[in-house]
Amino acid sequence: MTEHLDRWPELLRDIALELGEPAALRLAEALGGQRVYIPEAGLKGSHDNQIDKKTLQLLRTYYAGATVVIPNFKARIADERRRYVLARPDVEVNELAATLGITYRRVQQIREQSRIDPRQLSLFD
């Protein structure tokens, strides 16, 4: 299930392996392409309110006191969210939406777009 992570930038891949893909995708969505100072524990950084607590703690573990560039993953976020949703057909729509930080309706759209329309004719029949 993690083979696709080989194509991810290292920082996002590390977060995905440690905290899950949704955490990495939320970070990339919020701060992708930006330089971010990761404060020592106890200090307030300018981006603390945009990073969930677990992700911030992980970043502090590896990069406390340093400035890191959050990879600009925006061109691939939609595809990775789509893959994540379609790989979990039994998970409730609300749960997926909350996990990925997207709307209920967007999860429904992803699932609807993946269904084959029975009225569509096959070119190979």
Side-chain angles (χ1 to χ4, degrees), residues 60-125:
R60 283 180 172 162
T61 299
Y62 294 111
Y63 303 105
T67 299
V68 296
V69 176
I70 306 299
N72 185 356
F73 204 52
K74 294 187 192 275
R76 300 225 354 245
I77 287 176
D79 290 337
E80 293 299 333
R81 282 181 179 151
R82 182 176 193 283
R83 185 202 47 72
Y84 188 87
V85 167
L86 296 178
R88 292 158 179 80
D90 298 332
V91 178
E92 292 290 324
V93 173
N94 265 349
E95 185 178 339
L96 288 170
T99 299
L100 292 170
I102 59 178
T103 66
Y104 174 93
R105 181 65 188 128
R106 183 63 193 129
V107 174
Q108 284 182 316
Q109 288 172 339
I110 291 169
R111 286 184 169 172
E112 288 168 5
Q113 290 168 354
S114 71
R115 292 190 187 112
I116 297 172
D117 186 345
R119 299 171 295 172
Q120 181 69 39
L121 300 175
S122 173
L123 291 173
F124 303 105
D125 279 346

Side-chain angles (χ1 to χ4, degrees), residues 22-73:
L25 292 172
R26 286 191 307 267
L27 177 65
E29 176 71 22
L31 298 172
Q34 296 183 39
R35 287 178 42 160
V36 177
Y37 174 73
I38 307 300
E40 303 279 338
L43 298 177
K44 183 78 173 147
S46 62
H47 296 287
D48 284 6
N49 59 344
Q50 293 175 287
I51 304 172
D52 67 69
K53 290 178 183 180
K54 288 182 180 179
T55 303
L56 181 58
Q57 187 58 45
L58 183 65
L59 290 172
R60 283 180 172 162
T61 299
Y62 294 111
Y63 303 105
T67 299
V68 296
V69 176
I70 306 299
N72 185 356
F73 204 52

